[in-house]
Structures are given as C-alpha cells and as structure tokens.
Amino acid sequence: MDKDGAQDSLIELRELARAFSAERDWDQFHTPKNLAMALSVEVAELVEHFQWLPSGADAELDDKKRLGIRHEMADVLVYLIRLADKCHVDLREAVLEKMRLNGEKYPAGLVRGDARKYTEY
Amino acid sequence: MDKDGAQDSLIELRELARAFSAERDWDQFHTPKNLAMALSVEVAELVEHFQWLPSGADAELDDKKRLGIRHEMADVLVYLIRLADKCHVDLREAVLEKMRLNGEKYPAGLVRGDARKYTEY
Amino acid sequence: MDKDGAQDSLIELRELARAFSAERDWDQFHTPKNLAMALSVEVAELVEHFQWLPSGADAELDDKKRLGIRHEMADVLVYLIRLADKCHVDLREAVLEKMRLNGEKYPAGLVRGDARKYTEY
Amino acid sequence: MDKDGAQDSLIELRELARAFSAERDWDQFHTPKNLAMALSVEVAELVEHFQWLPSGADAELDDKKRLGIRHEMADVLVYLIRLADKCHVDLREAVLEKMRLNGEKYPAGLVRGDARKYTEY
C-alpha cells in the first residue's frame, strides 16, 4: 500500500481471490495440482474464441466475442494468481527474473524478426 | 505512476513485455490467435510439473521443480499480458468485473464447500 | 482378431500401451486424472509446432518439424488410449455415437460453410 | 478392408470424419493449425471433468459425468484423426514407431515404478 492508499493490482487481486475462496470454503480443492488443471481449462476456453478465426484481430470480433474473451482472460489471471499464492511465488518478481533470462536466450540482435524457438539456434 | 514513482505491476510488466517484443520485431507474430496458442503451451509446461504428483504441495517439490514452476508461471503471465494488450483488455478491471459476476453465480451461502460447477445447481 | 490374424489397430495399440505401462510398473501413476493431465501436456507439445505458423500446411514444415509433429500425435493417441482403457470406454463406439449426435447438432444443410459453434444458431 | 469386409477402426473413423467435414464444407477451416487448437480445446473439456476429483477413478463418477467423459474422448479422437489426415500421418505407424523410441528412452529395468521424466535420469 503506497502513500495514496493504492495497492498494487497483483496484490489487490490476490487478496480478493483469497477472500472469494475462503468465503466458499474452496481452499480444500485448491491444491497446486488442481489449480494448474483449472488454469489450463480456462486457457482453453480463451483459445476456443480464436480457433477458427484468421488472426483474432479486432475486426474479426463482435461485441459478444469480445466480452467472452475479456471474461476468460480474467478467469485465467485469477487461477494463475491463486496458483502463485499457493506456491509462494511473487508473480511480478518471477516475471522480472524470467525476462532477464529470456533476454539472454533471445538476444535482440540475433533473433530480430525470427520466431523460431531459441533451441533451434 | 503514483507520487512515489512506483508503477502498478500489471502496467509495468505490460510495458516491459511490449519493449521486449518490439526490440525483437516479434509483433508481426503476436496476433491474438498466436498469443492464445502460446499461452496454452506455457500453461501445459506448468501443468507438466504437477501431472504425476499427489497434490503439488510444497513438500512434494524439490528446488529444481520449484524454480521450473516459478519460471513457467512467469511465461504464462507474460503471454496473458501480451494477449490482453493486443485485445485492449485492462486485466485488473476485467478481473474485478468477472469476480462480481462469479459472486452472483456462486453465492457463498449456496456453494460453501462444494466444487461442482455452477451449471450443476 | 479376424481370420487374417490382424487385430483392429485401436485394440492392438491399447494392448501395447498396457504392456508398456505394466513392464514399468507405471499403472500406479495412471489414474484417469493424471492421464488427462498428461494428455493435455502432449497436445500442447503438438500445438507448439503450429503456434507461429500461418496455417501449418505442408509447405510451411521442414522434415524436422514434420517428424516432431508425427511423434507428438503418437504420444497424444497413446495417452488417450490409456485414459479410455482406465475409464472402460470403447473409443470406436464412443466416436460413432458422438458423430451421430454431432450430425443432429450440426445438420449439413444448416451449417454448410459456417464454423460458428452450434450454440450460436 | 479384410476378407470379412471389416475395416480397421482408425481408417473407418478417418473416412467418417472426412465425410462429415466434406458435407458441411468445413475443410476450409480445417488447417492443421486450427485443428491443433480445436484438439487442445476438446482435451480441456475432458480435463475439466477431472479437475476437482481426487483421482477420477470409477467410484468418483456418476452416470452423467461418465457420459460426458466418453463424449469428450470421442471429440478428442476425431480432431486427432482429422489433424493426422491433413498432415498425412498414419497414426498406427506413428505410435508403433514412437513406442519403440520410448522403450529406448525409458528402459523397463531402469525406470520401474518411477514416474520422473526421462530427461531427469
């Protein structure tokens, strides 16, 4: 919580998700394994919106689809935050650390405009 | 950016991910459809760590597995943030909105201690 | 087994997968839940080959990628066969039954050339 | 087709799936990439049935869930068969080849009762 009383959103959402689960006594189901499965299911519901589209860019979406996509993204983030919470992972720090590693694996000068996996170099 | 100069982490990470992609000229590959696929692949790499474990709780993990899990979570969040960015979705707002809807679908008094899907009620 | 001594391939592969698992004492890990997770992981390894390609058609693939795709498909089928075996599902009968249902949900005359999900009609 | 007029089931189902798609003019959507995505979505619908269960064994399932699982398995197999067809992969041969390779990667004497990934040896 900073001087403005504003909380970082990853912390704010973690607290909300914790409370949501506690109120429903769902922690008993939220093992890391189960949460990982639930996360994969929500991602697939997101993927489903894109599967028959050429690229998924805005012009290909109507309002109903756009709302569905927005809601599925929310579900994905909630399960990811729950899983990180149960595994004692600070998501922000994990991303900063991983992006440093990715920067070394995919040097900008070497991979520019090339989507091959780094193991193919 | 608040008075302390501290940025909300979802914004901070979005900016980092944007810059990472721009430096590598990868935006051409980052259609929403491709990002949704990449997101599902990263989630599966996370799931893989848990697939043969009883619950995935801390006592079942060694340091190598814990680091792998942490890094896969980071990859999942980065692709989710990229996808949200390309789809003009504010992830924090989307979660707040979705949790309100979920609260209506799964009233605490009704679903307490029950993991069945709301459609089964 | 028919007069030629040839076995139906879904039966033949089920028997091979059973023996493979039994020789390694892996049945203890092969709960339906774990097999479903493993199946999703193998599918993601298949998806990974296609994620940055325009369509995945032959002209976009080199020999290495083609071999990888072939092997991932094999892994997917093996886990599906294992899961069906553990759940006492006859895959051939299940498909015949499901295709009859799909035929009713998506009547050829109605959905011709349209990929929208049947619930959208 | 053998002397009895009985066709191998993987061939029979491939022909049925081809006809189903042709009658609906869906081949235009069935690029390998799109089929891989659709496959991952169907697998997730299968995973969803197991996500909150302890192991997914028979005693944990009611008839409705058992039917759902059966139907999702059918959808998974149909998309896998479609994808293999589009990629000119003979699924039976691919599995036989892959199981030989897996036999070398996981020698029965070495991995007996151990579910760690072969790369961990």
Side-chain angles (χ1 to χ4, degrees):
Chain A
M1 186 102 45
D2 66 27
K3 289 171 186 164
D4 298 331
Q7 216 176 7
D8 185 80
S9 57
L10 282 175
I11 307 299
E12 174 196 14
L13 300 178
R14 185 191 68 198
E15 297 307 306
L16 281 171
R18 265 188 205 172
F20 193 93
S21 176
E23 284 163 13
R24 284 156 187 78
D25 198 16
W26 280 354
D27 274 71
Q28 56 184 316
F29 306 113
H30 286 189
T31 65
K33 177 167 175 155
N34 289 358
L35 288 167
M37 290 180 90
L39 176 63
S40 77
V41 170
E42 295 301 335
V43 167
E45 292 178 5
L46 182 54
V47 166
E48 193 176 4
H49 286 287
F50 295 107
Q51 65 188 343
W52 308 120
L53 301 178
S55 76
D58 260 15
E60 299 169 8
L61 305 173
D62 59 22
D63 283 351
K64 190 185 162 194
K65 223 168 172 54
R66 210 170 277 121
L67 183 66
I69 286 166
R70 177 183 172 83
H71 286 171
E72 299 304 345
M73 282 186 197
D75 286 334
V76 171
L77 185 53
V78 169
Y79 276 122
L80 178 63
I81 284 172
R82 285 294 289 159
L83 179 57
D85 196 12
K86 293 291 182 181
C87 293
H88 316 293
V89 166
D90 181 309
L91 282 172
R92 178 180 167 274
E93 279 179 20
V95 171
L96 295 179
E97 184 182 310
K98 190 56 172 27
M99 289 192 80
R100 272 196 306 275
L101 292 170
N102 285 351
E104 290 163 22
K105 284 200 301 188
Y106 306 87
L110 185 58
V111 302
R112 207 172 160 74
D114 190 333
R116 283 175 299 162
K117 226 190 152 187
Y118 73 101
T119 48
E120 298 177 38
Y121 286 97
Chain B
M1 188 100 47
D2 65 25
K3 287 171 187 163
D4 298 330
Q7 217 176 9
D8 185 81
S9 56
L10 282 175
I11 308 299
E12 174 195 14
L13 299 179
R14 185 191 69 197
E15 296 307 306
L16 281 171
R18 263 189 206 173
F20 193 93
S21 176
E23 284 164 13
R24 284 155 186 80
D25 198 15
W26 280 355
D27 274 72
Q28 57 183 314
F29 306 113
H30 286 190
T31 64
K33 176 167 176 156
N34 289 358
L35 288 167
M37 291 181 90
L39 176 63
S40 77
V41 170
E42 295 301 336
V43 166
E45 292 179 6
L46 182 54
V47 166
E48 193 176 6
H49 286 287
F50 295 106
Q51 66 188 345
W52 308 120
L53 301 178
S55 76
D58 261 15
E60 298 169 8
L61 306 173
D62 58 22
D63 283 353
K64 192 185 160 195
K65 225 169 170 54
R66 210 170 278 121
L67 184 66
I69 286 166
R70 177 183 172 82
H71 285 170
E72 299 303 347
M73 282 186 196
D75 286 335
V76 171
L77 185 52
V78 169
Y79 276 123
L80 179 63
I81 285 172
R82 285 294 290 159
L83 178 58
D85 196 11
K86 292 292 183 180
C87 294
H88 315 295
V89 167
D90 181 308
L91 282 172
R92 178 180 168 275
E93 278 179 20
V95 171
L96 295 178
E97 183 182 311
K98 189 58 173 26
M99 288 191 81
R100 272 196 306 274
L101 292 171
N102 285 351
E104 291 164 21
K105 284 199 303 188
Y106 307 87
L110 184 58
V111 302
R112 206 169 163 75
D114 190 332
R116 282 176 302 162
K117 224 191 154 184
Y118 73 99
T119 48
E120 299 177 37
Y121 287 97
Chain C
M1 187 104 43
D2 64 28
K3 288 172 188 161
D4 299 330
Q7 216 177 9
D8 185 80
S9 57
L10 283 175
I11 308 299
E12 173 195 15
L13 299 179
R14 185 192 68 197
E15 296 307 306
L16 281 171
R18 265 189 205 172
F20 193 93
S21 176
E23 284 163 13
R24 283 156 187 79
D25 198 16
W26 280 355
D27 273 72
Q28 58 183 314
F29 306 113
H30 286 188
T31 66
K33 177 167 175 155
N34 289 0
L35 288 167
M37 290 181 92
L39 177 63
S40 78
V41 170
E42 294 302 336
V43 166
E45 292 178 6
L46 182 54
V47 166
E48 192 176 5
H49 287 286
F50 295 106
Q51 66 188 342
W52 308 120
L53 300 178
S55 77
D58 261 15
E60 298 169 9
L61 306 173
D62 59 22
D63 284 351
K64 192 185 160 194
K65 224 167 170 56
R66 211 169 276 122
L67 184 66
I69 286 166
R70 176 183 173 82
H71 285 171
E72 299 304 346
M73 281 185 198
D75 286 335
V76 171
L77 185 53
V78 169
Y79 276 122
L80 178 63
I81 285 173
R82 286 295 288 159
L83 179 57
D85 196 11
K86 292 291 183 181
C87 294
H88 316 295
V89 167
D90 180 308
L91 282 172
R92 177 179 167 277
E93 279 179 20
V95 171
L96 294 179
E97 183 182 311
K98 190 57 172 26
M99 289 192 80
R100 271 196 306 274
L101 293 170
N102 285 352
E104 291 164 21
K105 284 199 302 187
Y106 307 87
L110 185 58
V111 302
R112 207 172 160 74
D114 190 333
R116 281 175 303 162
K117 224 187 153 184
Y118 73 99
T119 47
E120 298 178 38
Y121 287 97
Chain D
M1 186 101 48
D2 65 28
K3 289 172 186 163
D4 298 331
Q7 216 177 8
D8 185 79
S9 57
L10 282 175
I11 308 299
E12 175 195 14
L13 300 178
R14 185 191 68 198
E15 296 307 307
L16 281 171
R18 263 189 207 172
F20 192 94
S21 175
E23 285 164 13
R24 283 155 187 79
D25 198 16
W26 280 355
D27 275 72
Q28 58 183 314
F29 306 113
H30 286 191
T31 65
K33 176 168 176 155
N34 289 359
L35 289 167
M37 290 180 90
L39 176 63
S40 77
V41 170
E42 295 300 336
V43 166
E45 292 178 5
L46 182 54
V47 166
E48 192 176 5
H49 286 287
F50 296 106
Q51 66 188 344
W52 308 119
L53 301 178
S55 77
D58 261 15
E60 298 169 8
L61 305 173
D62 58 21
D63 284 351
K64 191 184 161 195
K65 224 169 171 54
R66 210 169 278 122
L67 184 66
I69 286 167
R70 177 184 173 82
H71 285 171
E72 299 304 345
M73 281 186 198
D75 286 336
V76 171
L77 185 53
V78 169
Y79 276 122
L80 179 63
I81 284 172
R82 285 295 289 160
L83 179 57
D85 196 12
K86 292 291 183 182
C87 293
H88 316 294
V89 167
D90 181 309
L91 281 172
R92 178 180 167 274
E93 278 179 21
V95 170
L96 295 179
E97 183 182 312
K98 189 57 172 26
M99 289 192 80
R100 272 196 305 276
L101 293 170
N102 285 352
E104 291 164 21
K105 283 200 303 188
Y106 306 88
L110 184 58
V111 303
R112 207 170 160 74
D114 189 333
R116 281 175 302 163
K117 226 190 150 184
Y118 73 100
T119 48
E120 298 177 38
Y121 287 96

